Each structure stands twice: as C-alpha cells, then as structure tokens.
C-alpha cells in the first residue's frame, strides 16, 4: 500500500515537471518574438508619426501587470487593470478592442501571464500592420 502511494506521488511530480517545461518553452517563444518586435519598432523608419509607439514602455507595463497578477489577494484589481490597459491601447491607436483576449478573475496566474504576453505581441503586430510594415513583420519571423 505504501509503495502504491509513492508511485502515485512520483507520477504526480513527473506530470507537474512536464507542464513546467511546456510553460518555459512558451515563455521563451513569447520573449523572443516580443524582443524581435521591440527591436523592429524601435527603428525610426518603421513607424509613422501618427502611430508612434514606445515599445519598451509597453513591455515594461506588461511585465508590471504580470507581476501584479501574481498577488493572489489583489487578482481582481490586476485583471481589471490589465483589461483597461489593453482597451486604452486599442482606443489610443484606433485598433479593435476585440483583438485582445479579456482576462477573467478565475484564471490561473500562469494563464494570465501567457495571455498578457500574447496581447502584447498582438499589439506590436497590429501596429506594424497599421504602419504598412507587414513586410517587416514577415521578415522578422524568419
């Protein structure tokens, strides 16, 4: 009976480590893509004057929102703040608010972090497309 519990515990630990590896792969992928977009948007020739974005500032705010979401006691405030931030970006740059995934209070903190990074990447891609720089976007994916 005791060995059965030990085996179940080891299986549980193995399953958790696989999930953690997958999360790290996803985070690394988002980080690489976002850093490529930040470098691309930081060039003066990519953005027009009417659609000027400070990509490092957006990245910093998203990272702050991710840190705030880790505080379980204030998760509701963090979710509302994140949704408001991306709605504000959509309004400011004349983007569709429906492009961004809305966060919900019952979500796991890892899911919130992934969605925030995904929304950030979508924002950068939409800005590149609005600046008629879809060619630069495709070039950076190579």
């Amino acid at each position: 009976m005791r060995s059965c519990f030990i085996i179940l515990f080891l299986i549980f630990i193995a399953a958790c480590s696989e999930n953690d590896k997958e999360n790290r792969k996803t985070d690394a992928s988002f980080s690489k893509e976002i850093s490529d977009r930040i470098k691309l948007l930081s060039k003066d020739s990519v953005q027009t004057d009417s659609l000027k974005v400070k990509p490092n500032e957006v990245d910093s705010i998203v990272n702050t929102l991710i840190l705030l979401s880790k505080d379980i006691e204030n998760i509701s405030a963090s979710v509302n703040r994140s949704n408001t931030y991306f709605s504000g970006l959509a309004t400011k740059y004349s983007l569709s608010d429906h492009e961004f995934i809305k966060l919900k209070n019952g979500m796991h903190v890892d899911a919130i972090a992934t969605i925030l990074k995904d929304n950030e990447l979508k924002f950068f891609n939409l800005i590149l497309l609005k600046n008629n720089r879809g060619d630069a976007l495709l070039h950076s994916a190579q």
Side-chain angles (χ1 to χ4, degrees):
M1 185 67 143
R2 188 176 203 184
S3 62
C4 187
F5 284 121
I6 293 173
I7 291 172
L8 287 174
F9 181 72
L10 291 175
I11 291 172
F12 177 74
I13 296 296
C16 289
S17 68
E18 284 297 317
N19 191 18
D20 191 43
K21 287 178 189 174
E22 188 65 32
N23 285 342
R24 278 187 257 150
K25 286 180 185 176
T26 303
D27 290 345
S29 174
F30 272 126
S31 296
K32 182 188 178 311
E33 290 294 323
I34 288 170
S35 67
D36 288 347
R37 300 309 187 277
I38 289 172
K39 287 177 193 171
L40 192 59
L41 286 167
S42 296
K43 295 178 185 174
D44 289 335
S45 61
V46 173
Q47 298 186 62
T48 60
D49 290 334
S50 61
L51 288 170
K52 208 64 148 163
V53 174
K54 297 178 183 173
N56 289 321
E57 182 179 310
V58 172
D59 187 53
S60 175
I61 291 171
V62 169
N63 288 331
T64 301
L65 291 171
I66 289 171
L67 286 175
L68 289 173
S69 73
K70 305 239 186 245
D71 182 12
I72 301 299
E73 292 177 1
N74 295 319
I75 192 87
S76 179
S78 172
V79 165
N80 290 336
R81 190 175 190 177
S82 299
N83 287 336
T84 302
Y85 178 69
F86 282 103
S87 293
L89 284 179
T91 302
K92 182 176 180 179
Y93 294 102
S94 302
L95 302 171
S96 173
D97 192 24
H98 300 291
E99 295 287 338
F100 303 113
I101 300 171
K102 297 288 184 197
L103 298 174
K104 296 181 176 81
N105 288 329
M107 292 180 163
H108 190 273
V109 292
D110 292 337
I112 289 173
T114 302
I115 290 171
L116 286 172
K117 285 296 184 180
D118 185 43
N119 284 345
E120 180 184 10
L121 186 59
K122 284 180 187 176
F123 172 71
F124 290 150
N125 288 340
L126 290 169
I127 291 298
L128 285 169
L129 291 172
K130 274 193 83 103
N131 280 305
N132 294 322
R133 293 307 305 225
D135 59 333
L137 180 63
L138 293 174
H139 178 69
S140 71
Q142 294 176 347

